[in-house]
Amino acid sequence: MRFIVDLPLAGLAKWLRFCGFDATVQRFPGRLPAAAPGVYLLTRQQTLDRTERADLLVLTAPDSERQLEEVLRRLQITRGLLQFLSRCGQCNEILVSLPRDQVLGLVPEHVFHTQEQFHQCPKCRQIFWPGSHLPGIISKVLAKLA
Ligand SMILES: [Zn+2]
C-alpha cells in the first residue's frame, strides 16, 4: 500500500512514513495523479469528492493526528500492517540497519548503552532506534486500533 498525499497534508505524510508506508507529497492540480494498483490518493479538497475515483480518499479530519486515524480506519489498516522504524519520516527512504559499533559518538551516550538496534536513513543520515522517533501521536492512534 502506497500513498500520494496532497501538499497541504504533508504533516500526515510524515506520520504515514513513521508507520512504514511509502508516502509521497504532491500538489494536486486540476488533474489527479493516474490510478495505480495499491496506491491511494489523500486530500482534504472536498470538491474532489465529486470525482468518482475509488483510490481517492477525501479526508474530513482537521489535523494530522485525526487524519492518520481516519486513513487507518477507512482502509481498515490494523496494527499488524504497521512497520515502525522502517522508513524515514522526513525523506520517505527505507532505513538500513546500522551495526552498534558504528553508532558510537553519533547518538547520545545513554542511548548507545541502552539500545541494541539502530537504523539509519541513507539520505539524511539520521539515526533511529526503538522509541526514538515514535511520536506520542502514534501511540495515541495505536491505542485506538484493533
Ligand atoms: Zn531521512
mmCIF file of all heavy atoms in Angstrom, residues 87-93 95 120-126 128, ligand 1:
data_model
loop_
_atom_site.group_PDB
_atom_site.id
_atom_site.type_symbol
_atom_site.label_atom_id
_atom_site.label_comp_id
_atom_site.label_asym_id
_atom_site.label_seq_id
_atom_site.Cartn_x
_atom_site.Cartn_y
_atom_site.Cartn_z
ATOM 1 N N ARG A 87 11.085 3.359 7.826
ATOM 2 C CA ARG A 87 11.157 4.416 6.820
ATOM 3 C C ARG A 87 11.418 5.765 7.486
ATOM 4 O O ARG A 87 10.923 6.032 8.573
ATOM 5 C CB ARG A 87 9.822 4.440 6.080
ATOM 6 C CG ARG A 87 9.816 5.159 4.780
ATOM 7 C CD ARG A 87 8.444 5.038 4.145
ATOM 8 N NE ARG A 87 8.200 3.719 3.564
ATOM 9 C CZ ARG A 87 8.564 3.383 2.328
ATOM 10 N NH1 ARG A 87 9.165 4.239 1.560
ATOM 11 N NH2 ARG A 87 8.320 2.181 1.860
ATOM 12 N N CYS A 88 12.193 6.612 6.824
ATOM 13 C CA CYS A 88 12.475 7.934 7.380
ATOM 14 C C CYS A 88 11.256 8.839 7.199
ATOM 15 O O CYS A 88 10.740 8.978 6.088
ATOM 16 C CB CYS A 88 13.679 8.552 6.682
ATOM 17 S SG CYS A 88 14.093 10.203 7.285
ATOM 18 N N GLY A 89 10.795 9.444 8.292
ATOM 19 C CA GLY A 89 9.613 10.306 8.249
ATOM 20 C C GLY A 89 9.831 11.541 7.400
ATOM 21 O O GLY A 89 8.906 12.091 6.817
ATOM 22 N N GLN A 90 11.074 11.969 7.310
ATOM 23 C CA GLN A 90 11.403 13.172 6.569
ATOM 24 C C GLN A 90 11.576 12.896 5.073
ATOM 25 O O GLN A 90 11.068 13.607 4.239
ATOM 26 C CB GLN A 90 12.720 13.744 7.140
ATOM 27 C CG GLN A 90 12.757 15.241 7.201
ATOM 28 C CD GLN A 90 11.590 15.822 7.989
ATOM 29 O OE1 GLN A 90 11.299 15.390 9.095
ATOM 30 N NE2 GLN A 90 10.909 16.776 7.394
ATOM 31 N N CYS A 91 12.347 11.848 4.758
ATOM 32 C CA CYS A 91 12.747 11.616 3.358
ATOM 33 C C CYS A 91 11.952 10.531 2.643
ATOM 34 O O CYS A 91 12.063 10.406 1.434
ATOM 35 C CB CYS A 91 14.207 11.205 3.287
ATOM 36 S SG CYS A 91 15.297 12.200 4.290
ATOM 37 N N ASN A 92 11.213 9.726 3.391
ATOM 38 C CA ASN A 92 10.480 8.606 2.808
ATOM 39 C C ASN A 92 11.409 7.471 2.367
ATOM 40 O O ASN A 92 10.996 6.555 1.667
ATOM 41 C CB ASN A 92 9.617 9.081 1.617
ATOM 42 C CG ASN A 92 8.483 8.113 1.300
ATOM 43 O OD1 ASN A 92 7.931 7.480 2.194
ATOM 44 N ND2 ASN A 92 8.148 7.989 0.031
ATOM 45 N N GLU A 93 12.680 7.522 2.742
ATOM 46 C CA GLU A 93 13.640 6.472 2.355
ATOM 47 C C GLU A 93 13.514 5.285 3.313
ATOM 48 O O GLU A 93 13.183 5.461 4.488
ATOM 49 C CB GLU A 93 15.078 7.001 2.462
ATOM 50 C CG GLU A 93 15.435 8.073 1.464
ATOM 51 C CD GLU A 93 15.582 7.548 0.046
ATOM 52 O OE1 GLU A 93 16.107 6.429 -0.112
ATOM 53 O OE2 GLU A 93 15.173 8.254 -0.885
ATOM 54 N N LEU A 95 14.907 2.711 5.810
ATOM 55 C CA LEU A 95 16.056 2.756 6.719
ATOM 56 C C LEU A 95 16.897 1.497 6.581
ATOM 57 O O LEU A 95 16.387 0.425 6.285
ATOM 58 C CB LEU A 95 15.566 2.873 8.167
ATOM 59 C CG LEU A 95 14.668 4.073 8.485
ATOM 60 C CD1 LEU A 95 14.273 4.033 9.962
ATOM 61 C CD2 LEU A 95 15.373 5.382 8.163
ATOM 62 N N GLN A 120 19.486 3.651 10.072
ATOM 63 C CA GLN A 120 19.852 4.955 9.551
ATOM 64 C C GLN A 120 19.172 5.236 8.220
ATOM 65 O O GLN A 120 18.972 4.336 7.407
ATOM 66 C CB GLN A 120 21.375 5.030 9.362
ATOM 67 C CG GLN A 120 21.850 6.436 9.011
ATOM 68 C CD GLN A 120 23.366 6.516 8.955
ATOM 69 O OE1 GLN A 120 24.031 5.603 8.477
ATOM 70 N NE2 GLN A 120 23.915 7.609 9.458
ATOM 71 N N CYS A 121 18.853 6.507 8.007
ATOM 72 C CA CYS A 121 18.295 6.918 6.726
ATOM 73 C C CYS A 121 19.467 7.121 5.767
ATOM 74 O O CYS A 121 20.389 7.873 6.060
ATOM 75 C CB CYS A 121 17.508 8.208 6.877
ATOM 76 S SG CYS A 121 17.019 8.912 5.289
ATOM 77 N N PRO A 122 19.431 6.440 4.607
ATOM 78 C CA PRO A 122 20.555 6.551 3.672
ATOM 79 C C PRO A 122 20.660 7.949 3.057
ATOM 80 O O PRO A 122 21.708 8.305 2.523
ATOM 81 C CB PRO A 122 20.232 5.515 2.591
ATOM 82 C CG PRO A 122 18.778 5.244 2.718
ATOM 83 C CD PRO A 122 18.387 5.541 4.130
ATOM 84 N N LYS A 123 19.591 8.732 3.166
ATOM 85 C CA LYS A 123 19.608 10.046 2.540
ATOM 86 C C LYS A 123 20.042 11.140 3.519
ATOM 87 O O LYS A 123 21.037 11.810 3.291
ATOM 88 C CB LYS A 123 18.225 10.344 1.964
ATOM 89 C CG LYS A 123 18.201 11.527 1.035
ATOM 90 C CD LYS A 123 16.854 11.628 0.341
ATOM 91 C CE LYS A 123 16.758 12.898 -0.470
ATOM 92 N NZ LYS A 123 15.372 13.141 -0.889
ATOM 93 N N CYS A 124 19.306 11.293 4.621
ATOM 94 C CA CYS A 124 19.638 12.393 5.551
ATOM 95 C C CYS A 124 20.567 11.936 6.672
ATOM 96 O O CYS A 124 21.009 12.731 7.488
ATOM 97 C CB CYS A 124 18.384 13.022 6.131
ATOM 98 S SG CYS A 124 17.495 11.985 7.312
ATOM 99 N N ARG A 125 20.850 10.625 6.740
ATOM 100 C CA ARG A 125 21.794 10.066 7.714
ATOM 101 C C ARG A 125 21.307 10.090 9.157
ATOM 102 O O ARG A 125 22.073 9.809 10.074
ATOM 103 C CB ARG A 125 23.166 10.788 7.641
ATOM 104 C CG ARG A 125 23.812 10.725 6.290
ATOM 105 C CD ARG A 125 24.642 9.470 6.153
ATOM 106 N NE ARG A 125 24.808 9.085 4.764
ATOM 107 C CZ ARG A 125 25.054 7.847 4.353
ATOM 108 N NH1 ARG A 125 25.167 6.890 5.228
ATOM 109 N NH2 ARG A 125 25.193 7.567 3.095
ATOM 110 N N GLN A 126 20.054 10.464 9.357
ATOM 111 C CA GLN A 126 19.528 10.472 10.710
ATOM 112 C C GLN A 126 19.485 9.043 11.250
ATOM 113 O O GLN A 126 19.202 8.105 10.507
ATOM 114 C CB GLN A 126 18.119 11.069 10.712
ATOM 115 C CG GLN A 126 17.643 11.393 12.112
ATOM 116 C CD GLN A 126 16.315 12.145 12.109
ATOM 117 O OE1 GLN A 126 15.821 12.548 11.054
ATOM 118 N NE2 GLN A 126 15.756 12.331 13.279
ATOM 119 N N PHE A 128 17.970 6.221 13.900
ATOM 120 C CA PHE A 128 16.754 5.901 14.646
ATOM 121 C C PHE A 128 16.998 4.679 15.514
ATOM 122 O O PHE A 128 17.785 3.814 15.176
ATOM 123 C CB PHE A 128 15.611 5.586 13.682
ATOM 124 C CG PHE A 128 15.262 6.716 12.735
ATOM 125 C CD1 PHE A 128 16.004 6.923 11.578
ATOM 126 C CD2 PHE A 128 14.201 7.555 13.011
ATOM 127 C CE1 PHE A 128 15.688 7.963 10.703
ATOM 128 C CE2 PHE A 128 13.874 8.594 12.146
ATOM 129 C CZ PHE A 128 14.613 8.801 10.996
HETATM 130 ZN ZN ZN B 1 15.942 10.787 6.016
#
